[in-house]
Amino acid sequence: MSSVGTMSHPQSYEILLVPEHRQSDSRAAEPGTALRSAVVAATGETGASGYPHYTGEGVEADIDPATHTVEALLVDGAELDYGLTVRIAEHTGGTREENGAAREGKDGGAAGRTA
């Protein structure tokens, strides 16, 4: 049994990959603009860093639930590229796929149909 299973921590986070701010680079994206985002869900396992492990949408992260600090991160199986930084937000809804299915269900499955 994983030690994470007995801890209380958020079940999902939204990971935001944003460019680092550099005053000398006028071509860089606007600071705070996410270049990629992913919703990651708790796996119930402890990651290599010793913190709860989260996965989803090509992103794997170990996140300290006390400080909300990303302690380890892989994006599409690779470490974060230079010039990018990570931000997180606690995610209170389901995955993007679950939310999409819920929206389709609200209109009785009529999305995209014409009379």
Side-chain angles (χ1 to χ4, degrees):
M1 179 174 181
S2 167
S3 62
V4 176
T6 60
M7 294 172 42
S8 174
H9 59 276
Q11 292 303 299
S12 62
Y13 285 99
E14 183 172 15
I15 303 282
L16 303 170
L17 301 179
V18 297
E20 290 180 345
H21 179 67
R22 292 190 185 130
Q23 291 179 327
S24 63
D25 190 357
S26 62
R27 298 169 294 129
E30 189 70 27
T33 302
L35 300 176
R36 180 170 173 179
S37 67
V39 174
V40 293
T43 64
E45 299 174 355
T46 300
S49 67
Y51 292 98
H53 190 68
Y54 294 79
T55 63
E57 300 181 39
V59 175
E60 295 185 45
D62 295 353
I63 301 173
D64 179 348
T67 63
H68 302 286
T69 302
V70 176
E71 299 292 342
L73 180 74
L74 293 176
V75 178
D76 297 330
E79 293 182 3
L80 196 60
D81 290 336
Y82 288 107
L84 294 177
T85 188
V86 64
R87 306 233 170 125
I88 65 169
E90 191 170 330
H91 185 75
T92 55
T95 65
R96 290 176 197 218
E97 291 80 16
E98 291 170 344
N99 291 338
R103 279 192 298 275
E104 289 173 11
K106 285 183 181 178
D107 63 6
R113 277 195 249 159
T114 58

